[in-house]
Amino acid sequence: GSAATDSLSVDRPQMTGYDRHRRIAVLPFANISPDPQDAYLADGITEELIFTLSKIRELKVIAKSSVMRYRDADESVREIGAELGIHTVIEGSVRKAGKLIRTTVQLIDVDTEEHLWSEAYDGEIDDLFAMQRAIAEQVAEALRVHLLPAEREKIAKVPTKNREAHTYYLRGRYAWSQWNEAGLLNAIDYFQQAIDLDPEFALACAGVADSYSLMAHLEYLPPEEAYPKAEEAARHALALDDGLAEAHSSLAMIKIVFSGDLEGAERDLLEAIELNPNCAEAHQWYALVLSATGREAKAEAERETAEALDP
């Protein structure tokens, strides 16, 4: 670090009840494939790694929406660490050549900019889940985090065995994150293709729900058309996998915004937070429900938690 970065005094977000040493951010992986079209893969690995690490209770994982803005940023790891109030970051790159993928990963101490651990993985697209599991376990080990048997099981769970369906899902997430009408229509199309290939793929159903909800939120579709479709997809996702925190959170959001069912929303949100304490939007929506039902002190605590996870 240069003198300029050494003398940085950035106000860290206030951590209430959080140990900064267990606060981690996965920075957007770089796509170093010869084909720029493969950017969806780098983004997908970033997102799935956040998703996998979020299942570890002792870790506090920064939400995707807070890290994606660093994709092309030239800030140092130390500056990013100060902005997000974290102690460690994961950086990496993805290079795809034909069917082969090489992923390099580093775990970096924010204060010293030292590499705590680094690894390169070579494999085919089919090996992505195994690779993410290995990374999650090694990160937990490097940070001396104790993995509970139930967490190991969650990390090992494969959302789909169909490689092509998984690729469509990653393309769908990439399209979704563009937050515009064309991107969302593409996302629904990709998620639907993933579901056609694997009807049991709950995450792809949750993707459809998120897409329709966002279509309504950004006013690309009338709410009375978009929200029922979103609700149907979220309920289908939960019928396939009741342990999907994100689908519980999506359903709760629809209950709040569209049907005004605050009681039902609260049940779904408590379920989402129980399943994944790192789900920032669940804490955010729960704060809204608490506030709307007059429990302001509790709402404030939930807002702080949401902000700590998604600065």
Side-chain angles (χ1 to χ4, degrees):
S2 64
T5 53
D6 285 336
S7 63
L8 265 185
S9 61
V10 180
D11 286 338
R12 293 187 183 283
Q14 286 306 298
M15 294 310 130
T16 44
Y18 280 117
D19 173 2
R20 201 180 127 246
H21 286 261
R22 297 277 165 85
R23 282 176 58 79
I24 187 167
V26 181
L27 296 182
F29 275 45
N31 172 39
I32 54 171
S33 308
D35 186 353
Q37 292 289 316
D38 289 326
Y40 78 91
L41 199 58
D43 265 23
I45 288 175
T46 307
E47 181 168 344
E48 292 196 331
L49 200 47
I50 292 171
F51 184 70
T52 305
L53 289 169
S54 291
K55 295 174 182 172
I56 303 173
R57 264 172 204 277
E58 280 188 37
L59 289 180
K60 292 292 166 257
V61 186
I62 300 294
K64 177 191 170 198
S65 47
S66 278
V67 294
M68 278 309 181
R69 61 198 176 91
Y70 295 109
R71 187 194 277 125
D72 303 309
D74 47 13
E75 282 140 299
S76 69
V77 163
R78 188 174 298 194
E79 288 170 295
I80 293 171
E83 282 170 22
L84 297 176
I86 51 173
H87 187 255
T88 39
V89 299
I90 292 176
E91 279 190 332
S93 64
V94 182
R95 183 184 173 85
K96 180 172 176 273
K99 271 185 161 183
L100 292 176
I101 292 178
R102 164 158 253 216
T103 308
T104 58
V105 189
Q106 295 97 26
L107 182 68
I108 301 166
D109 182 302
V110 161
D111 298 329
T112 61
E113 301 198 8
E114 253 178 82
H115 283 56
L116 300 173
W117 162 81
S118 66
E119 190 78 67
Y121 300 87
D122 291 300
E124 296 199 3
I125 289 193
D126 307 36
D127 306 326
L128 276 182
F129 293 125
M131 178 196 79
Q132 282 154 13
R133 185 175 72 226
I135 293 172
E137 287 175 351
Q138 285 169 300
V139 165
E141 199 177 308
L143 295 175
R144 298 187 182 83
V145 168
H146 177 63
L147 278 183
L148 301 168
E151 289 172 341
R152 282 190 192 278
E153 209 174 293
K154 272 186 185 173
I155 288 171
K157 191 175 167 190
V158 172
T160 178
K161 290 192 168 71
N162 185 308
R163 183 182 80 197
E164 212 181 327
H166 184 218
T167 302
Y168 277 124
Y169 172 75
L170 293 181
R171 287 187 185 278
R173 278 288 167 206
Y174 184 67
W176 183 90
S177 63
Q178 287 156 22
W179 272 59
N180 58 39
E181 190 173 7
L184 288 167
L185 290 169
N186 282 334
I188 291 167
D189 194 39
Y190 283 133
F191 291 138
Q192 201 48 62
Q193 292 187 68
I195 295 163
D196 291 345
L197 289 164
D198 178 2
E200 306 280 291
F201 195 174
L203 271 176
C205 297
V208 172
D210 290 344
S211 302
Y212 277 116
S213 289
L214 199 51
M215 291 285 278
H217 176 67
L218 298 174
E219 298 180 357
Y220 298 133
L221 273 181
E224 56 280 6
E225 187 185 329
Y227 283 124
K229 286 181 175 173
E231 183 175 355
E232 189 189 343
R235 288 190 186 281
H236 187 51
L238 290 171
L240 293 169
D241 180 2
D242 192 41
L244 214 53
E246 288 64 22
H248 280 287
S249 182
S250 291
L251 193 55
M253 189 272 285
I254 295 160
K255 286 177 179 175
I256 294 166
V257 178
F258 186 61
S259 48
D261 173 12
L262 295 184
E263 215 173 293
E266 181 161 353
R267 279 195 301 274
D268 274 308
L269 290 166
L270 288 171
E271 184 73 24
I273 290 165
E274 174 57 36
L275 288 164
N276 177 2
N278 280 304
C279 187
E281 67 256 24
H283 290 286
Q284 196 180 345
W285 287 111
Y286 188 35
L288 203 75
V289 171
L290 290 165
S291 196
T293 48
R295 290 168 283 174
E296 205 39 66
K298 235 179 140 181
E300 188 49 42
E302 285 296 321
R303 268 195 292 274
E304 281 179 17
T305 301
E307 199 179 338
L309 290 167
D310 194 350

